[in-house]
mmCIF file with all atom_site columns, all heavy atoms in Angstrom:
data_model
loop_
_atom_site.group_PDB
_atom_site.id
_atom_site.type_symbol
_atom_site.label_atom_id
_atom_site.label_alt_id
_atom_site.label_comp_id
_atom_site.label_asym_id
_atom_site.label_entity_id
_atom_site.label_seq_id
_atom_site.pdbx_PDB_ins_code
_atom_site.Cartn_x
_atom_site.Cartn_y
_atom_site.Cartn_z
_atom_site.occupancy
_atom_site.B_iso_or_equiv
_atom_site.pdbx_formal_charge
_atom_site.auth_seq_id
_atom_site.auth_comp_id
_atom_site.auth_asym_id
_atom_site.auth_atom_id
_atom_site.pdbx_PDB_model_num
ATOM   1  N  N   . GLY A 1 47  ? 92.210 -10.413 -40.484 1.00 0.00 ? 68  GLY A N   1
ATOM   2  C  CA  . GLY A 1 47  ? 91.294 -11.079 -41.399 1.00 0.00 ? 68  GLY A CA  1
ATOM   3  C  C   . GLY A 1 47  ? 91.979 -11.288 -42.729 1.00 0.00 ? 68  GLY A C   1
ATOM   4  O  O   . GLY A 1 47  ? 92.923 -10.567 -43.076 1.00 0.00 ? 68  GLY A O   1
ATOM   5  N  N   . GLN A 1 52  ? 92.331 -12.687 -51.741 1.00 0.00 ? 73  GLN A N   1
ATOM   6  C  CA  . GLN A 1 52  ? 93.624 -12.040 -51.463 1.00 0.00 ? 73  GLN A CA  1
ATOM   7  C  C   . GLN A 1 52  ? 94.804 -12.982 -51.676 1.00 0.00 ? 73  GLN A C   1
ATOM   8  O  O   . GLN A 1 52  ? 95.948 -12.535 -51.754 1.00 0.00 ? 73  GLN A O   1
ATOM   9  C  CB  . GLN A 1 52  ? 93.667 -11.518 -50.022 1.00 0.00 ? 73  GLN A CB  1
ATOM   10 C  CG  . GLN A 1 52  ? 92.712 -10.367 -49.761 1.00 0.00 ? 73  GLN A CG  1
ATOM   11 C  CD  . GLN A 1 52  ? 92.823 -9.898  -48.331 1.00 0.00 ? 73  GLN A CD  1
ATOM   12 O  OE1 . GLN A 1 52  ? 92.140 -10.410 -47.451 1.00 0.00 ? 73  GLN A OE1 1
ATOM   13 N  NE2 . GLN A 1 52  ? 93.696 -8.928  -48.080 1.00 0.00 ? 73  GLN A NE2 1
ATOM   14 N  N   . GLY A 1 99  ? 92.836 -1.020  -42.267 1.00 0.00 ? 120 GLY A N   1
ATOM   15 C  CA  . GLY A 1 99  ? 93.958 -1.321  -43.128 1.00 0.00 ? 120 GLY A CA  1
ATOM   16 C  C   . GLY A 1 99  ? 93.654 -2.634  -43.818 1.00 0.00 ? 120 GLY A C   1
ATOM   17 O  O   . GLY A 1 99  ? 92.612 -3.247  -43.571 1.00 0.00 ? 120 GLY A O   1
ATOM   18 N  N   . CYS A 1 100 ? 94.548 -3.055  -44.686 1.00 0.00 ? 121 CYS A N   1
ATOM   19 C  CA  . CYS A 1 100 ? 94.301 -4.287  -45.437 1.00 0.00 ? 121 CYS A CA  1
ATOM   20 C  C   . CYS A 1 100 ? 95.638 -4.860  -45.880 1.00 0.00 ? 121 CYS A C   1
ATOM   21 O  O   . CYS A 1 100 ? 96.505 -4.112  -46.354 1.00 0.00 ? 121 CYS A O   1
ATOM   22 C  CB  . CYS A 1 100 ? 93.429 -3.978  -46.654 1.00 0.00 ? 121 CYS A CB  1
ATOM   23 S  SG  . CYS A 1 100 ? 93.060 -5.427  -47.661 1.00 0.00 ? 121 CYS A SG  1
ATOM   24 N  N   . LEU A 1 101 ? 95.788 -6.163  -45.769 1.00 0.00 ? 122 LEU A N   1
ATOM   25 C  CA  . LEU A 1 101 ? 97.047 -6.799  -46.169 1.00 0.00 ? 122 LEU A CA  1
ATOM   26 C  C   . LEU A 1 101 ? 97.286 -6.677  -47.675 1.00 0.00 ? 122 LEU A C   1
ATOM   27 O  O   . LEU A 1 101 ? 98.416 -6.814  -48.127 1.00 0.00 ? 122 LEU A O   1
ATOM   28 C  CB  . LEU A 1 101 ? 97.056 -8.272  -45.742 1.00 0.00 ? 122 LEU A CB  1
ATOM   29 C  CG  . LEU A 1 101 ? 97.000 -8.509  -44.223 1.00 0.00 ? 122 LEU A CG  1
ATOM   30 C  CD1 . LEU A 1 101 ? 96.922 -9.995  -43.917 1.00 0.00 ? 122 LEU A CD1 1
ATOM   31 C  CD2 . LEU A 1 101 ? 98.180 -7.861  -43.510 1.00 0.00 ? 122 LEU A CD2 1
ATOM   32 N  N   . SER A 1 102 ? 96.235 -6.395  -48.444 1.00 0.00 ? 123 SER A N   1
ATOM   33 C  CA  . SER A 1 102 ? 96.399 -6.182  -49.888 1.00 0.00 ? 123 SER A CA  1
ATOM   34 C  C   . SER A 1 102 ? 96.660 -4.716  -50.235 1.00 0.00 ? 123 SER A C   1
ATOM   35 O  O   . SER A 1 102 ? 96.834 -4.381  -51.410 1.00 0.00 ? 123 SER A O   1
ATOM   36 C  CB  . SER A 1 102 ? 95.155 -6.666  -50.647 1.00 0.00 ? 123 SER A CB  1
ATOM   37 O  OG  . SER A 1 102 ? 95.037 -8.064  -50.514 1.00 0.00 ? 123 SER A OG  1
ATOM   38 N  N   . HIS A 1 142 ? 84.466 -5.898  -43.857 1.00 0.00 ? 163 HIS A N   1
ATOM   39 C  CA  . HIS A 1 142 ? 85.680 -5.738  -44.671 1.00 0.00 ? 163 HIS A CA  1
ATOM   40 C  C   . HIS A 1 142 ? 85.969 -7.029  -45.456 1.00 0.00 ? 163 HIS A C   1
ATOM   41 O  O   . HIS A 1 142 ? 86.242 -6.988  -46.660 1.00 0.00 ? 163 HIS A O   1
ATOM   42 C  CB  . HIS A 1 142 ? 86.850 -5.367  -43.754 1.00 0.00 ? 163 HIS A CB  1
ATOM   43 C  CG  . HIS A 1 142 ? 88.163 -5.216  -44.439 1.00 0.00 ? 163 HIS A CG  1
ATOM   44 N  ND1 . HIS A 1 142 ? 88.837 -4.016  -44.529 1.00 0.00 ? 163 HIS A ND1 1
ATOM   45 C  CD2 . HIS A 1 142 ? 88.947 -6.125  -45.088 1.00 0.00 ? 163 HIS A CD2 1
ATOM   46 C  CE1 . HIS A 1 142 ? 89.965 -4.194  -45.201 1.00 0.00 ? 163 HIS A CE1 1
ATOM   47 N  NE2 . HIS A 1 142 ? 90.065 -5.469  -45.548 1.00 0.00 ? 163 HIS A NE2 1
ATOM   48 N  N   . GLU A 1 143 ? 85.902 -8.177  -44.753 1.00 0.00 ? 164 GLU A N   1
ATOM   49 C  CA  . GLU A 1 143 ? 86.223 -9.453  -45.423 1.00 0.00 ? 164 GLU A CA  1
ATOM   50 C  C   . GLU A 1 143 ? 85.172 -9.801  -46.467 1.00 0.00 ? 164 GLU A C   1
ATOM   51 O  O   . GLU A 1 143 ? 85.504 -10.306 -47.546 1.00 0.00 ? 164 GLU A O   1
ATOM   52 C  CB  . GLU A 1 143 ? 86.371 -10.580 -44.397 1.00 0.00 ? 164 GLU A CB  1
ATOM   53 C  CG  . GLU A 1 143 ? 87.507 -10.387 -43.403 1.00 0.00 ? 164 GLU A CG  1
ATOM   54 C  CD  . GLU A 1 143 ? 88.821 -9.955  -44.028 1.00 0.00 ? 164 GLU A CD  1
ATOM   55 O  OE1 . GLU A 1 143 ? 89.140 -10.402 -45.150 1.00 0.00 ? 164 GLU A OE1 1
ATOM   56 O  OE2 . GLU A 1 143 ? 89.523 -9.131  -43.415 1.00 0.00 ? 164 GLU A OE2 1
ATOM   57 N  N   . HIS A 1 146 ? 85.779 -8.146  -49.687 1.00 0.00 ? 167 HIS A N   1
ATOM   58 C  CA  . HIS A 1 146 ? 86.766 -8.827  -50.538 1.00 0.00 ? 167 HIS A CA  1
ATOM   59 C  C   . HIS A 1 146 ? 86.091 -9.874  -51.418 1.00 0.00 ? 167 HIS A C   1
ATOM   60 O  O   . HIS A 1 146 ? 86.469 -10.065 -52.573 1.00 0.00 ? 167 HIS A O   1
ATOM   61 C  CB  . HIS A 1 146 ? 87.821 -9.524  -49.680 1.00 0.00 ? 167 HIS A CB  1
ATOM   62 C  CG  . HIS A 1 146 ? 88.919 -8.626  -49.187 1.00 0.00 ? 167 HIS A CG  1
ATOM   63 N  ND1 . HIS A 1 146 ? 89.769 -7.974  -50.036 1.00 0.00 ? 167 HIS A ND1 1
ATOM   64 C  CD2 . HIS A 1 146 ? 89.311 -8.298  -47.928 1.00 0.00 ? 167 HIS A CD2 1
ATOM   65 C  CE1 . HIS A 1 146 ? 90.646 -7.268  -49.317 1.00 0.00 ? 167 HIS A CE1 1
ATOM   66 N  NE2 . HIS A 1 146 ? 90.388 -7.439  -48.040 1.00 0.00 ? 167 HIS A NE2 1
ATOM   67 N  N   . LEU A 1 151 ? 87.688 -3.348  -52.293 1.00 0.00 ? 172 LEU A N   1
ATOM   68 C  CA  . LEU A 1 151 ? 88.731 -3.050  -51.313 1.00 0.00 ? 172 LEU A CA  1
ATOM   69 C  C   . LEU A 1 151 ? 88.324 -1.795  -50.538 1.00 0.00 ? 172 LEU A C   1
ATOM   70 O  O   . LEU A 1 151 ? 87.639 -0.922  -51.084 1.00 0.00 ? 172 LEU A O   1
ATOM   71 C  CB  . LEU A 1 151 ? 90.066 -2.818  -52.005 1.00 0.00 ? 172 LEU A CB  1
ATOM   72 C  CG  . LEU A 1 151 ? 90.612 -4.005  -52.806 1.00 0.00 ? 172 LEU A CG  1
ATOM   73 C  CD1 . LEU A 1 151 ? 91.913 -3.622  -53.496 1.00 0.00 ? 172 LEU A CD1 1
ATOM   74 C  CD2 . LEU A 1 151 ? 90.818 -5.219  -51.908 1.00 0.00 ? 172 LEU A CD2 1
ATOM   75 N  N   . TYR A 1 152 ? 88.787 -1.701  -49.290 1.00 0.00 ? 173 TYR A N   1
ATOM   76 C  CA  . TYR A 1 152 ? 88.292 -0.606  -48.444 1.00 0.00 ? 173 TYR A CA  1
ATOM   77 C  C   . TYR A 1 152 ? 88.519 0.803   -49.014 1.00 0.00 ? 173 TYR A C   1
ATOM   78 O  O   . TYR A 1 152 ? 87.688 1.679   -48.769 1.00 0.00 ? 173 TYR A O   1
ATOM   79 C  CB  . TYR A 1 152 ? 88.823 -0.740  -46.998 1.00 0.00 ? 173 TYR A CB  1
ATOM   80 C  CG  . TYR A 1 152 ? 90.186 -0.146  -46.772 1.00 0.00 ? 173 TYR A CG  1
ATOM   81 C  CD1 . TYR A 1 152 ? 90.360 1.231   -46.564 1.00 0.00 ? 173 TYR A CD1 1
ATOM   82 C  CD2 . TYR A 1 152 ? 91.332 -0.939  -46.795 1.00 0.00 ? 173 TYR A CD2 1
ATOM   83 C  CE1 . TYR A 1 152 ? 91.623 1.775   -46.394 1.00 0.00 ? 173 TYR A CE1 1
ATOM   84 C  CE2 . TYR A 1 152 ? 92.585 -0.399  -46.619 1.00 0.00 ? 173 TYR A CE2 1
ATOM   85 C  CZ  . TYR A 1 152 ? 92.729 0.960   -46.426 1.00 0.00 ? 173 TYR A CZ  1
ATOM   86 O  OH  . TYR A 1 152 ? 93.968 1.502   -46.271 1.00 0.00 ? 173 TYR A OH  1
HETATM 87 NI NI1 . NI  B 2 .   ? 91.512 -6.588  -46.516 1.00 0.00 ? 883 NI  B NI1 1
#
Side-chain angles (χ1 to χ4, degrees):
Q73 292 181 272
C121 180
L122 297 176
S123 294
H163 178 114
E164 297 314 324
H167 278 298
L172 299 177
Y173 85 81

